[in-house]
Structure formats: C-alpha cells, structure tokens
Amino acid sequence: MTDDPASHIDVGVLQAVFDGTNTVASPVLQCVQVKPLAAGGQGGPERFRVVFSDISNFVQSMLASQINHYVLDGKLKKGSFVRLKNFQTNTVKNKKIIIVLDLDILEELGECEKIGVPQPLETKADEVQPQSTTIHTGGFYGNNAQAAPQQQQSLPSRTNTTSTSASHANIYPIEALSPYAHKWTIKARCTNKSDIKTWHNKNGEGKLFSVNLLDESGEIRGTGFNEQCDALYELFQEGGVYYISSPCRVQMAKKQFTNLNNDYELTFERDTVVEKAEEQNGVPQVRFNFTSIGDLQSVEKDTTIDTIGILKEVGETSQIVSKTTSKPYDKRELTLVDNSGFSVRLTIWGNSATTFDVQPESVIAFKGVKVSDFGGRSLSLLSSGSMTVDPDIDEAHKLKGWYDAQGRNDNFASHANMGASMGAAGGRMDPVKSILQVKEENLGMSENTDYFTTRATIIYIKQDSFAYPACLSADCNKKVVQIDDGQWRCEKCDRTHPKPEYRYIMQVNASDHTGQLWLNCFDDVGRLIMGMSADQLMELKENDEKAAGDVFQDANCKTWVFKCRAKMDNFQDQQRVRYQVSGASPLNYSAECNKLAEMIKMYSME
C-alpha cells in the first residue's frame, strides 16, 4: 500500500451531509465499529450497526440487509475503508444516523487503527425537529429544509387529500422498517392493488384488501381490514405515490400471501395516516429481479419470479373450469424468448387475458409469475403480478437490440418436456422399487418430487381419522365445518349444506420382504382398498362399530401395486418424507409370473 489512507477520507463530509452543504456524491469514510443488532422478531433478517468516521466526526449507521454480506464475508470490519454509494440521513430522537443502502469496500486501502480523534456529530439547537431525508440516488426522497411538526390526527386517512414532502420530514426507506421503528413515514408507489376479498366463518365475517408498496430501497405489502378497507380502498390507486405514516403495525410477513422480498408487512390501523403525494415523480415505477428464460430449469417448482422476454407468439383466449370452485376462468398462452436461446410458455388469466392487445416482437417484463413443471417448465402470471410492455429499462433495451440484430432469425429450445421425469403420472413409467430401496436411495429427500411404484401388502390401517367431512358441491371436496345441527359450512364455496359427504384420507402401513412404509391414500384409492365409500363406512361405524372393524380387518393382508410420489413435508416444525399414493391396483399374478420368468431367463447360463 503506497498511499496514506487518511488522504483518501473526505474529512468533514459528515457534517456537510447533514447540514445540506455536501458536494461529495460518494464520500469515503473509515469504519471504526461493527456491531450486530437483535433480529426483528423470529426469523427476521440479521442487522448490523456500523460507526463511520471522517476523521473530524463519527456517526452511527445501520446497514440495509441486502449488504449484510460485506460483514458476514469479513470485508467490512473495524479499520476498513468504504465509499458510500447509496445512503439516507435521518435524525431520530435528536441523534443523527445514516442508513446505508449500498457501498464499496476499498480493499486497496487496507485496514488500520482509528485515524485521528473524531467527535460525535452534534445536533444543533435549531435541529430539534427531525431533519429532512436525503437519498443519494437522484434525490428520490427530496431535501426539505424546514419541517413543521407533525400533528397526530384522528382518522386522517379518511379523506383523499394530497400532501407535499415539506410536511413529512422523517421519511424512512421501506428497507429500514421493523417492529421496533416508531414515528415513521414512508413515501412509496402503489404498484399493485388487490380486489376486496370477503370471508365468512363461525367466528364472524369480514373483508380485506392489500397493496404492494415500492420505494427505492425495497417493497412491502400493506393490508387493510374491515373499516380500513372501506376507508382506504378508493384512496389507493395503482401507480400513485403516497405518504404512509405510523401508527401502522409492522409484523412478520405471511409468505403464503405475498411474493415480495421483505420479511415484514404492514397492517393499516385506525389512526394510520395515508395521503396522496403531490409530487408523483422520483419514485421507482416497479422493481424487478429478473430470471432469464434459460435458467428456469434450475428454478424450483412453485417459486415466484420476475422475467423479461420478447413476445414471440400469442395464443387465442380459452376458458377452463376450476376444480375447486367450479367457476370459469379465461386464459391465454403467450410464448416468450430471450437471448439465452430458450422459449417458455406463459399463461395470463382473467381480464388480462381477454383484453391482451400487445403486438408480437414487443418486449414484456413480468413481475410475480409462478414457475410450474407441468409439461416441463412453464410460467403463470399471479393475480398479484403485473406486466409492463416495452419498459424503459436497460434490460429491455438490450433485449430489443439483440432481437433486432440476430434473435429474430434464431431457433429456440423449449422447456417443454425437459422435466418429463417429473410429469403427470398418466404417461410416466415409474421405476419399481422395494421399500428398502426407497429408503436407501433417499427418495423424496431432494428438492424435487420422486415417483416410484412398489408392490406391498397392507398390514395395518389407522381407524381414528380415516375420513373427513367434505363439501357436496361438484368438484369442491373441501372440508366443511359443522356450525349447527344440520348445517355444514364450506368456506371455499360460501355455502351451507344439510350434511357432508365423507371422503377417505387414510394412512396405511404397507410391507414387503424388505421393510415397512406408511402410505397416505385419498378417496379414490381408499374406495379400492376398503371396497365401499367413506360415507358408507362412516355410517356403518356409527351404527355398528364391530361391523366397521371387520371391514378394516378384511382390508388387511392384501397385496397391491402402489404408484407413489415421495416429497419432503413439514409436520409440527419437523421435516419428514411424505409418501402419497396416486394410484393402486390389485396384484396381477399372471403378469407378475411373466416378469419373474423373464428375470430368471436373464440368469440362465448357455
């Protein structure tokens, strides 16, 4: 190292950053302390507090979680030097802090002990009110010199008013929100608004809606229930920019309901302040994390991703009927290609399908598509997802340039049937395995589902929970709950029935000459094994428990050919392999004898 590291530090820059006189876009500082913070709740992201010095002063800072890897990899540590590329300044409880969103480690400067005797950055008497927020990536958060104190209002979100940044000095980036943050305001764009959803069960009824909110630091989901649903639904419009201020609950995200990359989500409360921003510019339109079409084969099934491609083909609109709700849904299939040399089929639904009017060879960016392995890798646009035609982003310009230069005449490989070994059971020849082979080969222990066929004899059937009460609606089969005598409620269909239809959900212990295995069987297989419907068996059990026991006994000691799938499952916070029977047939002794004869011939000596 030839240079004195101190000569690279921007001395006095911290004071200039906070008083608005800074002219250094990416200041160089020394790290003088790194300390981990408690995670934001169980499963929350690890956070780090860092103290930076400019020789004259030092300031407390917090790292955004996306740059934690610098600490975890041992690159950002006491004595190292950094260049701040993207950061936000703030004043909380009269203490100045920096939230760092991106930085570079200046490894060429090495490491050394703390340079000089930096002093804490003092808060001046005229800075008692929270300082304005300055984000150093194009002035997204603005630079508001004087901030009037925020007044606590009762139900301020009930009117669709506009607000300027001058009345919102203490602006937080979404990335910095946690259950421990108080008195915050975010400025974010609504990138998606759901329809109002209702529910009705034995505990009551209600309604909700949700929005996806985006700023330059990240995204977060917000949900309004009942009164907040009524008050805020019309206020939020897709594409609009809003100030949202506490009190507003920040809690761990329910990942089954959101595809956003954030461990937290918001729940709007009675006094949550939501105001439409007068300045609608300066906030990102949408944030993408693209996966190329060529990489889809390595993406796990049911993963939610973003992708971008050239629209190669547009299919006609068709309609399917849902097996669970019996409702018709419109769909349209699109074919996308990109410079990876692959094409993929992507399905859009509902109004997006019927109103789709995009010309082939356009660039389309999709946010929130689900990866399926039906017939190989394919994609499906989720209801919470979105698509943008010819977006003004670098990836779209590069893709269009490639297509115009050479891609228009290229041939593309398809993901269809590349995952044939994981396709539907109907046309698949599953390998025949003994129970010992299933266990020794660790079937079901990988990320993918494993399929196999086994010949085994039933030696025990669990009788305590062999069936469940199901909805009587055609193709529903969801579990119903008894809310009163002669009233069985189905949440999926939103209907009440006088009685249920019982369906099998059985666990059987099957054995061959190598071992035993617990198998899970649904209604079709249960009818084959028991020789009667679950309704009939349940009625028999209620009237004559001994006769029902005899039926279970008669089903034992019979040999079947089971077609199974093995997949890792979570049960009571423990992982285990679940073996699900997709089909069963009685042992065909003639066919089995022929197979054995062929095997014997293989061993015959000439």
Side-chain angles (χ1 to χ4, degrees), residues 47 68 156 186 242 247 280 286 308 416 474 488 540 582:
R47 307 305 291 266
N68 282 352
I186 60 172
Y242 299 87
Q280 293 288 299
V286 65
I308 187 171
W488 294 78
L540 183 63
S582 58

Side-chain angles (χ1 to χ4, degrees), residues 42 105 118-119 210 256 321 358 405 423 456 458 460 498 508-509 511:
Q42 186 176 3
I105 306 296
Q119 300 300 309
S210 62
Q256 66 269 37
V321 177
V358 179
I458 295 175
Y460 181 73
V508 303
N509 190 255
S511 174

Side-chain angles (χ1 to χ4, degrees), residues 350-415:
N351 189 54
S352 297
T354 56
T355 61
F356 187 81
D357 187 25
V358 179
Q359 294 300 313
E361 301 190 350
S362 299
V363 178
I364 309 182
F366 291 88
K367 182 172 183 62
V369 292
K370 185 177 180 180
V371 179
S372 169
D373 64 357
F374 180 73
R377 283 294 187 263
S378 60
L379 302 174
S380 179
L381 182 63
L382 299 173
S383 59
S384 59
S386 62
M387 58 181 170
T388 307
V389 179
D390 293 328
D392 187 14
I393 55 177
D394 289 343
E395 293 88 345
H397 300 318
K398 291 177 183 177
L399 203 56
K400 186 64 173 175
W402 158 81
Y403 187 77
D404 290 341
Q406 70 178 78
R408 183 177 282 106
N409 300 316
D410 283 356
N411 294 318
F412 298 92
S414 173
H415 283 291

Side-chain angles (χ1 to χ4, degrees), residues 197-359:
K197 300 176 183 178
T198 60
W199 75 85
H200 178 94
N201 56 36
K202 61 182 179 181
N203 297 322
E205 57 185 27
K207 55 186 172 181
L208 64 87
F209 84 105
S210 62
V211 290
N212 291 349
L213 301 169
L214 166 74
D215 71 6
E216 190 164 294
S217 72
E219 295 176 275
I220 195 167
R221 179 175 182 259
T223 303
F225 293 88
N226 300 324
E227 292 181 4
Q228 284 66 48
C229 180
D230 292 334
L232 299 176
Y233 187 77
E234 294 301 328
L235 176 57
F236 277 111
Q237 299 296 325
E238 288 188 7
V241 178
Y242 299 87
Y243 291 103
I244 302 164
S245 304
S246 58
C248 182
R249 192 187 320 155
V250 183
Q251 60 193 28
M252 296 303 296
K254 299 178 179 65
K255 290 298 186 180
Q256 66 269 37
F257 300 124
T258 178
N259 59 353
L260 300 184
N261 184 25
N262 197 321
D263 291 314
Y264 299 116
E265 64 183 12
L266 304 177
T267 298
F268 303 127
E269 297 183 333
R270 188 177 68 89
D271 292 327
T272 300
V273 183
V274 179
E275 298 168 287
K276 189 171 183 179
E278 189 174 90
E279 311 90 354
Q280 293 288 299
N281 297 322
V283 181
Q285 294 288 337
V286 65
R287 179 181 295 273
F288 294 104
N289 184 20
F290 291 123
T291 298
S292 75
I293 296 174
D295 290 337
L296 291 178
Q297 203 62 38
S298 62
V299 178
E300 187 178 355
K301 175 181 176 290
D302 294 332
T303 301
T304 301
I305 65 165
D306 305 336
T307 195
I308 187 171
I310 299 288
L311 179 62
K312 193 71 172 176
E313 297 176 6
V314 181
E316 296 295 326
T317 304
S318 59
Q319 197 172 80
I320 64 169
V321 177
S322 170
K323 291 183 179 179
T324 55
T325 64
S326 299
K327 295 180 180 179
Y329 292 93
D330 295 309
K331 58 176 284 191
R332 188 192 296 265
E333 291 186 350
L334 312 176
T335 301
L336 300 178
V337 299
D338 70 4
N339 54 4
S340 67
F342 277 83
S343 68
V344 68
R345 185 180 73 255
L346 188 149
T347 304
I348 57 177
W349 302 88
N351 189 54
S352 297
T354 56
T355 61
F356 187 81
D357 187 25
V358 179
Q359 294 300 313

Side-chain angles (χ1 to χ4, degrees), residues 26-331:
S26 300
V28 175
L29 304 169
Q30 184 185 25
C31 171
V32 296
Q33 187 183 77
V34 180
K35 194 173 184 180
L37 296 171
Q42 186 176 3
E46 190 172 11
R47 307 305 291 266
F48 293 95
R49 178 187 290 122
V50 181
V51 178
F52 288 118
S53 164
D54 67 359
I55 300 180
S56 295
N57 300 105
F58 68 83
V59 68
Q60 298 273 353
S61 306
M62 185 174 72
L63 298 187
S65 60
Q66 70 261 25
I67 58 172
N68 282 352
H69 61 90
Y70 287 121
V71 177
L72 300 175
D73 295 343
K75 294 181 178 180
L76 178 58
K77 52 189 174 182
K78 183 178 179 180
S80 60
F81 297 86
V82 303
R83 176 179 287 110
L84 301 189
K85 296 169 58 180
N86 188 351
F87 61 94
Q88 175 195 344
T89 61
N90 216 325
T91 302
V92 177
K93 296 182 179 179
N94 296 335
K95 292 183 179 179
K96 295 181 177 181
I97 65 169
I98 290 178
I99 297 170
V100 183
L101 304 175
D102 196 12
L103 56 77
D104 285 333
I105 306 296
L106 304 181
E107 296 180 275
E108 66 273 15
L109 299 182
E111 303 164 19
C112 67
E113 293 297 319
K114 181 173 64 176
I115 299 175
V117 186
Q119 300 300 309
L121 205 57
E122 296 291 339
T123 301
K124 299 175 184 178
D126 59 351
E127 294 178 340
V128 173
Q129 294 297 333
Q131 278 295 104
S132 61
T133 300
T134 305
I135 193 89
H136 291 256
T137 52
F140 157 59
Y141 285 101
N143 186 7
N144 311 309
Q146 296 293 329
Q150 269 185 294
Q151 298 294 323
Q152 191 72 12
Q153 303 178 31
S154 178
L155 301 178
S157 61
R158 303 306 187 250
T159 57
N160 186 357
T161 60
T162 59
S163 178
T164 66
S165 57
S167 60
H168 295 286
N170 195 24
I171 300 217
Y172 270 55
I174 286 175
E175 167 62 35
L177 291 179
S178 77
Y180 306 105
H182 301 286
K183 295 184 180 179
W184 51 261
T185 296
I186 60 172
K187 182 183 180 184
R189 188 180 300 278
C190 173
T191 59
N192 182 268
K193 182 175 77 168
S194 73
D195 294 331
I196 293 177
K197 300 176 183 178
T198 60
W199 75 85
H200 178 94
N201 56 36
K202 61 182 179 181
N203 297 322
E205 57 185 27
K207 55 186 172 181
L208 64 87
F209 84 105
S210 62
V211 290
N212 291 349
L213 301 169
L214 166 74
D215 71 6
E216 190 164 294
S217 72
E219 295 176 275
I220 195 167
R221 179 175 182 259
T223 303
F225 293 88
N226 300 324
E227 292 181 4
Q228 284 66 48
C229 180
D230 292 334
L232 299 176
Y233 187 77
E234 294 301 328
L235 176 57
F236 277 111
Q237 299 296 325
E238 288 188 7
V241 178
Y242 299 87
Y243 291 103
I244 302 164
S245 304
S246 58
C248 182
R249 192 187 320 155
V250 183
Q251 60 193 28
M252 296 303 296
K254 299 178 179 65
K255 290 298 186 180
Q256 66 269 37
F257 300 124
T258 178
N259 59 353
L260 300 184
N261 184 25
N262 197 321
D263 291 314
Y264 299 116
E265 64 183 12
L266 304 177
T267 298
F268 303 127
E269 297 183 333
R270 188 177 68 89
D271 292 327
T272 300
V273 183
V274 179
E275 298 168 287
K276 189 171 183 179
E278 189 174 90
E279 311 90 354
Q280 293 288 299
N281 297 322
V283 181
Q285 294 288 337
V286 65
R287 179 181 295 273
F288 294 104
N289 184 20
F290 291 123
T291 298
S292 75
I293 296 174
D295 290 337
L296 291 178
Q297 203 62 38
S298 62
V299 178
E300 187 178 355
K301 175 181 176 290
D302 294 332
T303 301
T304 301
I305 65 165
D306 305 336
T307 195
I308 187 171
I310 299 288
L311 179 62
K312 193 71 172 176
E313 297 176 6
V314 181
E316 296 295 326
T317 304
S318 59
Q319 197 172 80
I320 64 169
V321 177
S322 170
K323 291 183 179 179
T324 55
T325 64
S326 299
K327 295 180 180 179
Y329 292 93
D330 295 309
K331 58 176 284 191

